[in-house]
Amino acid sequence: MVTLSNYSIGKTEVTQELWKAVMGDTPSNFSGENLPVEKVSWDDCQTFISKLNALTGQTFRLPTEAEWEYAARGGNKSRGYKYSGSNSIDDVAWHSGNSGSKTHPVGTKAPNELGIYDMSGNVWEWCSDWYGSYSSASQTNPKGPTSGSSRVFRGGSWIYNGAGSCRVSSRDGVSPGIRPISLGVRLAF
């Protein structure tokens, strides 16, 4: 049992247009203003968020893994889908079977029950947590382990691993300094 305090999460993944407006350029392998930024490390995301907050006066951050999963599952409107918004992956996700080996503009597939796009597929998304085992105890606002060597990423992507990696339950972790071509970011606040 997990209880979360109120929070907000981005309707789409961070686009290259926003990343470039804040950082001056984009590291992405693919090029397009409305494409999700990719090839960004967890550390890069912290720099981006710090600069974005300084520019806007807001308190953007990466979502915790629990926040990410709750939003991906459709929150209190969840219909229990295995992908974010549907049991049919092609309705909601750009994945290795339909992407044409590239990312696609954000928000072009159907949203989930909360009106959030691309939580399954397009690019994996960094979470704030260190990667580790879940606790079986009831928790409020869990933040994962206090240390580790890998940060969590969720959601599946346009490449690798097929449909299974796009399930709302799928998770993985990688060193926070790594910049895979399949990994991007979604903001929480």
Side-chain angles (χ1 to χ4, degrees), residues 157-170:
S157 79
W158 60 274
I159 192 171
Y160 309 128
N161 304 355
S165 67
C166 294
R167 292 176 64 112
V168 291
S169 59
S170 181

Side-chain angles (χ1 to χ4, degrees), residues 4-122:
L4 296 173
S5 298
N6 288 339
Y7 70 101
S8 295
I9 194 162
K11 187 175 181 176
T12 68
E13 296 152 330
V14 170
T15 63
Q16 292 180 32
E17 180 179 33
L18 177 58
W19 188 275
K20 187 174 183 179
V22 173
M23 302 295 282
D25 63 1
T26 176
S28 297
N29 186 57
F30 302 103
S31 183
E33 288 187 348
N34 206 33
L35 293 177
V37 68
E38 24 85 11
K39 279 183 68 175
V40 292
S41 70
W42 188 93
D43 295 334
D44 294 336
C45 292
Q46 298 308 308
T47 301
F48 167 78
I49 289 168
S50 179
K51 288 183 176 186
L52 179 63
N53 288 343
L55 288 168
T56 64
Q58 300 297 314
T59 55
F60 295 108
R61 59 182 173 78
L62 292 178
T64 66
E65 185 175 14
E67 289 170 338
W68 188 96
E69 186 169 334
Y70 182 74
R73 288 185 180 277
N76 59 5
K77 297 179 180 181
S78 178
R79 295 187 194 134
Y81 297 129
K82 61 182 166 181
Y83 307 109
S84 185
S86 180
N87 284 327
S88 173
I89 190 170
D90 289 333
D91 292 346
V92 294
W94 293 110
H95 59 93
S96 61
N98 71 357
S99 70
S101 298
K102 62 184 179 181
T103 61
H104 289 265
V106 300
T108 55
K109 290 287 187 176
N112 74 1
E113 300 93 321
L114 296 174
I116 303 171
Y117 295 87
D118 301 312
M119 293 199 83
S120 289
N122 219 4

